[in-house]
């Protein structure tokens, strides 16, 4: 009887440890998803909306756009802490260029999309390589 209880207790403890491990893994995945959401909104969506804001919009459209941008910033603001450490040392433009490079765009395509010269994009790419320690590597 006593051995059976010990076996059950050991089995229960093992199950608890397994569940705790699964719970920690789920928490890590949630943290990663939050960070990815903040990163995508901050470095991809907001810059596009900023460029749209400077285009020829009616006053009503401009106000709606500003409201949408502020709402997006409020949504991702709690996650900004981890994002700022991830991109510490990079300028907003460098983050923007880095994301477009990651998408496979050429310097010429990035220049068109951001309204920059190709040389300005190459400057930002060089700066990124230097800051990320990629200068001189294949």
């Amino acid at each position: 009887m006593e051995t059976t209880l010990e076996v059950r207790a050991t089995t229960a403890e093992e199950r608890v440890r397994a569940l705790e491990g699964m719970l920690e893994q789920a928490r890590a995945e949630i943290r990663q998803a939050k960070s990815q959401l903040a990163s995508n909104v901050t470095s991809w969506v907001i810059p596009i909306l900023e460029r749209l804001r400077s285009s020829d919009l009616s006053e009503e459209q401009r106000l709606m756009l500003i409201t949408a941008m502020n709402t997006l910033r409020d949504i991702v603001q709690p996650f900004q802490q981890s994002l700022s450490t991830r991109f510490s040392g990079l300028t907003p433009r460098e983050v923007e260029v880095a994301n477009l490079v990651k998408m496979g765009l050429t310097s010429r395509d990035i220049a068109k999309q951001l309204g920059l010269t190709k040389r300005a994009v190459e400057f930002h790419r060089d700066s990124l390589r230097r800051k990320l320690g990629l200068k001189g590597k294949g």
Side-chain angles (χ1 to χ4, degrees):
M1 177 79 145
E2 213 172 287
T3 307
T4 305
L5 289 176
E6 287 175 6
V7 169
R8 286 184 182 174
T10 303
T11 304
E13 289 173 6
E14 290 171 355
R15 288 180 182 167
V16 166
R17 281 193 293 277
L19 288 172
E20 286 172 345
M22 291 170 54
L23 181 60
E24 184 51 43
Q25 183 178 356
R27 286 180 180 147
E29 288 174 7
I30 289 169
R31 281 190 300 272
Q32 169 128 15
K34 286 179 178 181
S35 176
Q36 189 65 43
L37 171 70
S39 174
N40 289 345
V41 170
T42 302
S43 38
W44 295 11
V45 178
I46 296 294
I48 291 169
L49 295 177
E50 287 286 355
R51 284 194 298 281
L52 179 61
R53 183 174 150 187
S54 65
S55 66
D56 189 27
L57 298 174
S58 71
E59 189 59 31
E60 182 181 351
Q61 290 170 327
R62 190 174 313 282
L63 289 173
M64 287 190 309
L65 180 61
I66 290 170
T67 301
M69 288 170 61
N70 288 335
T71 302
L72 278 172
R73 285 186 179 117
D74 288 344
I75 290 170
V76 299
Q77 195 273 333
F79 315 132
Q80 288 301 114
Q81 187 79 12
S82 61
L83 181 66
S84 64
T85 57
R86 185 175 170 195
F87 292 120
S88 64
L90 300 182
T91 66
R93 180 64 81 185
E94 288 169 341
V95 172
E96 200 171 18
V97 169
N99 282 319
L100 294 172
V101 167
K102 187 170 82 173
M103 292 171 58
L105 272 63
T106 64
S107 291
R108 179 186 289 163
D109 294 335
I110 294 170
K112 272 191 232 176
Q113 185 163 343
L114 299 179
L116 301 171
T117 65
K118 182 181 175 206
R119 180 64 197 124
V121 172
E122 289 168 352
F123 171 82
H124 289 300
R125 291 178 77 145
D126 285 341
S127 179
L128 280 164
R129 285 186 199 102
R130 183 177 37 79
K131 288 180 179 181
L132 298 175
L134 302 175
K135 197 98 171 142
K137 296 184 179 180

